[in-house]
Amino acid sequence: EQYVRSHKIRHLQQCAATMLWGCSSGALRDMGDFERIGTPNNYMLAGCPTLVANLWDVTDRDIDKFALSVFDKLALQPEEVKKWKTGKKCAADCRTSVVAAVAQSRDVCKLKYLTGAAVVVYGIPFYL
């Protein structure tokens, strides 16, 4: 929200699966009698299939460990991405959804019931 205006996100031509690891990046603001609004709504309106975000403030060390664990499970480390570029993708049976990677990574946090529980996935299960 600090760097990109919400109307710019809403009006994107295409939107890829997105991971927002910042504090409260997935929080929705209460609008009284009206529906809640926030960054997740803007990404969903832009056609984002999956959005990973945090519902509340988290510690930076814990969320960094969490993100690295998710990247490991999705094979998004630099050496794995190089294999993708050369056409050496993994077999269909080793693919993991973003939802499963997030769920499996909750235990790496020191505060797994605070930081680990803050991360949510909006949208549909998405496979890389």
Side-chain angles (χ1 to χ4, degrees):
E1 292 177 349
Q2 181 179 347
Y3 299 108
V4 181
R5 302 234 182 254
S6 60
H7 74 276
K8 292 280 189 188
I9 295 170
R10 276 194 307 266
H11 294 98
L12 289 172
Q13 296 276 333
Q14 294 179 337
C15 187
T18 306
M19 295 183 185
L20 303 175
W21 294 106
C23 291
S24 302
S25 57
L28 297 173
R29 290 181 295 286
D30 189 21
M31 300 302 290
D33 291 337
F34 300 104
E35 206 170 306
R36 294 173 176 262
I37 62 168
T39 303
N41 293 6
N42 297 323
Y43 276 95
M44 294 297 116
L45 289 170
C48 179
T50 298
L51 173 71
V52 178
N54 294 310
L55 290 178
W56 52 78
D57 293 351
V58 292
T59 60
D60 57 347
R61 187 169 294 173
D62 252 1
I63 204 63
D64 288 347
K65 286 193 317 191
F66 193 107
L68 285 174
S69 176
V70 170
F71 294 159
D72 283 340
K73 289 178 183 4
L74 293 173
L76 288 176
Q77 296 298 352
E79 54 276 355
E80 295 295 325
V81 173
K82 286 178 187 174
K83 288 180 189 176
W84 289 13
K85 289 182 180 179
T86 59
K88 298 177 185 173
K89 295 183 181 181
C90 89
D93 60 335
C94 71
R95 292 176 38 194
T96 304
S97 75
V98 174
V99 176
V102 167
Q104 294 166 6
S105 297
R106 294 192 193 282
D107 291 332
V108 301
C109 297
K110 185 175 183 180
L111 303 169
K112 67 180 178 181
Y113 296 113
L114 188 64
T115 304
V119 182
V120 294
V121 181
Y122 290 98
I124 59 172
F126 187 81
Y127 291 84
L128 294 179

